Amino acid sequence: MAYKGIKNTFTAVAKAIKDEDDDDDDSYVDYFYDDPGALPGTLDLEPDAPPPEIVLIDYCETAAIRSKLANPRDAAIYLDTASVSWVDMLGLGNKETWRQMAKVFNLHEMAQEDVVNVPQRPKVVDYEEHLLIISWMVIIKPNSDNFHKEQVSLILGKHYLLTVQEEPDYDCFDPVRDRIRKGQGSIRKHGADYLAYTLLDSIIDGFFPVLEVYGERIEELEDEVVLNPTRKTLEKIYKIRRELLTLRRAIWPQRDAINVLIRDSSDLISPEVRIYLRDCYDHTVQVMDMVETYRELSSGLMDVYLSSVGNKMNEIMKLLTVISSIFIPLTFVAGVYGMNFNTEKSPLNMPELNWYFGYPLCWALMVAIASSLVYFFWRRGWFENFSTIKDD
């Protein structure tokens, strides 16, 4: 019966969280897949999607400019210059925008499909003239302990970098923009490949603040599981395990993608930048270790929860057993004297019914039995742990 109750609780919690996730698109990284028989290069875009905001940052070692482009064609004059051109596309836009974008950047139709049909698994694809890098970015939502995730696509050319962000409202690239604007560090002394590394490093480092929040949530759950485990606690544990699984699915393939960039022989990435990418790879491994550690802790919390609930149930059953043990002999005495045999027919038929002090003596006997049992249970230490029983 206890197993059945716990199973029903798990089923109810899973259903409640699933219903909640049905209204939340951030529940899992469900990768995009084509419909059977779909043509290669098919773009899954809303027909009435608004045009994206396109921001150009063009810089060299001595200067940097930032401007908004009305359409992708305006970026064509910057692609063959000696300076580095970062074209940041905020939002996926519509098919007309992508027709222009493909023409200006000479994008392969399969590259367009990977960028537009989100979400895609993080990966690196070499198209000779440019590299396509698919990555996942996570950011803590304002005034929330949950995180926002989105696909970020980087298309690296010889002197340019095109980035396409799924959502225009969130990114972690502001420190990079400030470094370019102020000329801090060495970013303006290097080429587009170093810019791609810098953005990838910002994406990977963005996982650490998210994981810090989850570390604090797990610490709070540890106290709650031990002190006062309730069904709400089980929902929190179940939800945090699902969210950590989402983080794992986002970071795990990115390690492989960065490893491809390090070991690939593409001329678009210099040997110097490959050294920097090794550091980015190390950060990815650190993030993976933290995610795996937190997943193990959350699994341990589930075991502690079940143990706490089991102990709580045992204490309740113990209390009920003590109460039942006290009242069983009292019920026996009351049952015996409730039979009401006729003493006139036989002296063996309960002569105590005619005693003058029979009723007080019966009460005294029952009180003596109950007191003796309470004293016996107290001496055995059965009342020591009842203080741990709390209401939900």
Side-chain angles (χ1 to χ4, degrees):
M1 294 297 292
Y3 169 77
K4 185 176 180 181
I6 293 175
K7 181 179 178 182
N8 292 338
T9 300
F10 270 104
T11 303
V13 170
K15 184 179 184 301
I17 295 178
K18 182 180 183 300
D19 294 340
E20 179 182 346
D21 289 339
D22 288 341
D23 299 329
D24 187 0
D25 293 337
D26 292 342
S27 59
Y28 272 126
V29 181
D30 294 321
Y31 297 129
F32 178 88
Y33 60 90
D34 293 318
D35 294 330
L39 294 175
T42 302
L43 304 184
D44 183 32
L45 289 171
E46 297 292 337
D48 56 347
E53 181 181 356
I54 304 175
V55 180
L56 168 71
I57 299 179
D58 189 81
Y59 64 89
C60 59
E61 186 174 355
T62 58
I65 61 171
R66 181 183 184 276
S67 61
K68 291 186 178 181
L69 304 181
N71 57 70
R73 292 190 297 269
D74 296 340
I77 60 175
Y78 295 95
L79 302 186
D80 295 328
T81 61
S83 60
V84 176
S85 301
W86 175 16
V87 180
D88 191 13
M89 185 174 173
L90 305 176
L92 298 178
N94 48 44
K95 291 185 178 180
E96 176 61 28
T97 300
W98 273 102
R99 277 195 288 267
Q100 299 178 22
M101 191 71 71
K103 185 176 181 180
V104 171
F105 289 89
N106 193 25
L107 299 178
H108 193 279
E109 61 179 5
M110 298 307 296
Q112 298 179 57
E113 182 179 11
D114 286 339
V115 172
V116 171
N117 298 343
V118 297
Q120 297 287 333
R121 190 175 188 272
K123 58 185 176 181
V124 175
V125 184
D126 190 350
Y127 290 99
E128 295 185 359
E129 294 183 1
H130 53 260
L131 281 176
L132 171 62
I133 306 170
I134 302 294
S135 183
W136 276 93
M137 176 170 59
V138 296
I139 299 175
I140 286 292
K141 292 181 179 179
N143 303 321
S144 173
D145 57 0
N146 203 345
F147 63 90
H148 165 82
K149 66 180 185 300
E150 66 170 292
Q151 175 176 312
V152 179
S153 305
L154 293 81
I155 300 175
L156 173 64
K158 187 174 182 181
H159 297 293
Y160 67 86
L161 179 67
L162 170 64
T163 58
V164 182
Q165 301 186 43
E166 182 182 352
E167 298 290 341
D169 299 328
Y170 302 94
D171 72 21
C172 56
F173 297 151
D174 284 340
V176 179
R177 298 186 181 100
D178 291 339
R179 286 163 57 188
I180 295 175
R181 179 174 58 86
K182 299 176 182 178
Q184 296 176 342
S186 59
I187 188 170
R188 280 169 42 173
K189 299 177 183 179
H190 295 83
D193 54 347
Y194 186 85
L195 174 62
Y197 147 72
T198 305
L199 297 182
L200 285 174
D201 189 56
S202 298
I203 291 173
I204 300 302
D205 290 345
F207 280 81
F208 288 104
V210 175
L211 290 173
E212 288 179 2
V213 172
Y214 278 88
E216 295 174 356
R217 289 174 61 183
I218 290 175
E219 289 181 2
E220 295 174 357
L221 278 176
E222 287 177 345
D223 297 335
E224 184 174 340
V225 164
V226 174
L227 298 177
N228 186 27
T230 63
R231 176 172 170 174
K232 192 67 176 178
T233 306
L234 179 60
E235 293 180 7
K236 293 178 182 178
I237 297 174
Y238 192 85
K239 184 175 181 180
I240 202 171
R241 289 182 65 185
R242 288 171 57 93
E243 292 171 355
L244 287 172
L245 178 59
T246 302
L247 286 175
R248 184 182 186 274
R249 295 182 64 187
I251 192 60
W252 191 275
Q254 293 196 161
R255 180 195 63 169
D256 299 332
I258 294 175
N259 190 39
V260 170
L261 291 174
I262 296 173
R263 299 180 180 276
D264 193 18
S265 59
S266 174
D267 296 333
L268 295 174
I269 299 179
S270 64
E272 181 183 3
V273 172
R274 295 181 196 275
I275 297 175
Y276 289 106
L277 285 171
R278 292 175 187 171
D279 179 68
C280 189
Y281 180 86
D282 290 340
H283 292 176
T284 308
V285 173
Q286 292 178 24
V287 172
M288 290 173 52
D289 289 342
M290 293 179 66
V291 170
E292 292 299 324
T293 300
Y294 288 157
R295 289 186 69 218
E296 292 177 3
L297 288 174
S298 62
S299 299
L301 286 178
M302 188 69 73
D303 295 336
V304 174
Y305 171 83
L306 294 177
S307 298
S308 298
V309 171
N311 291 335
K312 186 176 180 179
M313 183 177 297
N314 290 338
E315 293 298 328
I316 293 174
M317 295 302 298
K318 182 178 176 181
L319 176 61
L320 295 178
T321 301
V322 169
I323 295 174
S324 300
S325 299
I326 293 174
F327 279 91
I328 284 174
L330 306 186
T331 304
F332 172 76
V333 173
V336 169
Y337 284 96
M339 291 186 291
N340 297 324
F341 283 99
N342 189 356
T343 57
E344 296 178 356
K345 297 293 182 180
S346 171
L348 301 178
N349 290 344
M350 301 180 69
E352 297 90 349
L353 293 177
N354 295 321
W355 289 0
Y356 184 80
F357 293 103
Y359 181 69
L361 288 175
C362 183
W363 267 107
L365 176 63
M366 290 191 289
V367 170
I369 294 174
S371 301
S372 300
L373 289 174
V374 169
Y375 177 76
F376 174 77
F377 294 149
W378 174 74
R379 292 288 296 177
R380 299 279 296 183
W382 285 24
F383 297 106
E384 292 179 358
N385 298 324
F386 287 159
S387 60
T388 62
I389 302 178
K390 299 180 181 178
D391 295 333
D392 291 346

